[in-house]
Amino acid sequence: MAAWRERLAGVRGVLLDISGVLYDGGEGGGTPIAGSVEAVARLKRSGLKVRFCTNESQKSRRELVQLLCRLGFHLSEGEVTAPAPAACQLLRARGLRPHLLIHDGLRSEFHQVDTSNPNCVVIADAADGFSFQNMNKAFQVLMELETPVLISLGKGRYYKEAAGLMLDVGAYTKALEYACGIEAEVVGKPSPEFFKSALQELGVDAHQAIMIGDDIVGDVGGAQRCGMRALQVRTGKFRPSDEHHPEVQADGYVANLAEAVDLLLQHAEP
């Protein structure tokens, strides 16, 4: 008990991953993870600041929020930090015109972005859109540029759906990096800039915040590198080997979001 008090003392804000923590995707949009709907409601009633921090790149932020509301969660678009809006800001700031290798469900996020005569490639979780033809077109665009720019919305290796583990965008990003001899710029977890943006929107300093996620590298490692604490849930993509990761050790491991919220509400007061 004392150990949890020490680990959670002074927490004023909570960043929540979505996929694998709140729900598992799948047929019909997915299903909530047991206890997660009430856990989010309790957390939001507690007085702690709460923000949702996701690498979701198959759906627009609006569609994601609509899905979560159908599943019983209560949140708004303004509470969600997601990579596509951040990528659009970056593209406009740098005068970049992307070739988009993304899921059709995400295209609405880029409607205001100039995609003529591309001078970069944006890659996201295109799922079935990762055909040879589409990958090769992205490769060709990059190779024709004097200074190739590849922007990856997250760099996850895999994620969990009801049907099992699914390859994520990181595997395809790595293929383009290798083929083109370049390194992608990551917009999304575990990018420090992405976490800093979420913290700014949350309104607390890094040492006052905790990340709760299912990805030992993207969620836990990324948050800790920014000075936050992080808990890993044993849901979603969690694997038992995560608890013995050679480089990342969570500040705590919990069965699910409900247990994490129980602990926070008991021990987060300084």
Side-chain angles (χ1 to χ4, degrees):
M1 296 290 284
W4 279 112
R5 278 197 296 272
E6 292 165 8
R7 281 182 268 182
L8 300 178
V11 168
R12 290 286 177 267
V14 183
L15 292 179
L16 294 178
D17 183 26
I18 293 179
S19 176
V21 176
L22 272 57
Y23 84 112
D24 284 326
E27 238 178 278
T31 55
I33 292 170
S36 61
V37 172
E38 178 57 24
V40 170
R42 290 175 63 212
L43 196 56
K44 294 182 82 169
R45 290 195 301 264
S46 71
L48 291 170
K49 295 185 176 182
V50 181
R51 189 161 186 86
F52 302 87
C53 188
T54 180
N55 271 356
E56 172 62 56
S57 64
Q58 285 192 14
K59 305 176 187 68
S60 69
R61 185 163 52 169
R62 173 172 295 181
E63 290 168 335
L64 176 62
V65 167
Q66 288 173 345
L67 167 63
L68 291 171
C69 289
R70 288 198 302 272
L71 294 178
F73 298 96
H74 296 283
L75 72 159
S76 65
E77 281 185 66
E79 296 174 88
V80 179
T81 298
C88 289
Q89 290 181 358
L90 181 152
L91 293 168
R92 285 191 286 265
R94 290 167 53 181
L96 294 171
R97 302 178 304 277
H99 169 79
L100 297 171
L101 178 50
I102 63 176
H103 196 281
D104 286 344
L106 195 66
R107 291 192 181 275
S108 63
E109 296 276 21
F110 292 87
H111 278 171
Q112 302 301 314
V113 173
D114 182 3
T115 57
S116 63
N117 190 24
N119 57 4
C120 72
V121 167
V122 169
I123 185 171
D125 181 12
D128 291 340
F130 282 129
S131 64
F132 172 79
Q133 181 179 0
N134 290 342
M135 285 289 288
N136 200 55
K137 177 59 179 175
F139 164 72
Q140 290 173 337
V141 170
L142 289 166
M143 292 299 284
E144 288 169 4
L145 296 172
E146 184 177 346
T147 306
V149 176
L150 174 62
I151 297 169
S152 182
L153 304 195
K155 209 173 183 182
R157 295 177 298 158
Y158 56 86
Y159 56 91
K160 172 85 170 356
E161 289 195 345
L165 296 177
M166 316 292 285
L167 274 179
D168 203 351
V169 62
Y172 302 94
T173 299
K174 280 288 188 184
L176 290 176
E177 286 181 325
Y178 177 71
C180 300
I182 59 175
E183 185 173 347
E185 299 178 36
V186 179
V187 177
K189 299 175 290 187
S191 162
E193 290 76 15
F194 192 69
F195 277 110
K196 288 172 186 174
S197 172
L199 282 171
Q200 186 174 14
E201 291 163 326
L202 190 63
V204 301
D205 293 331
H207 73 276
Q208 298 173 308
I210 193 163
M211 176 78 202
I212 302 175
D214 65 332
D215 186 327
I216 189 66
V217 174
D219 294 328
V220 175
Q224 289 175 336
R225 281 195 296 275
C226 288
M228 285 182 273
R229 286 162 278 185
L231 302 180
Q232 187 180 18
V233 292
R234 297 187 180 100
T235 56
K237 70 167 68 173
F238 168 82
R239 313 285 283 174
S241 59
D242 290 347
E243 297 188 30
H244 309 285
H245 193 279
E247 297 173 4
V248 182
Q249 184 75 28
D251 293 283
Y253 301 89
V254 292
N256 49 35
L257 178 60
E259 183 183 357
V261 170
D262 284 343
L263 290 165
L264 280 167
L265 297 189
Q266 289 175 51
H267 303 300
E269 291 301 318

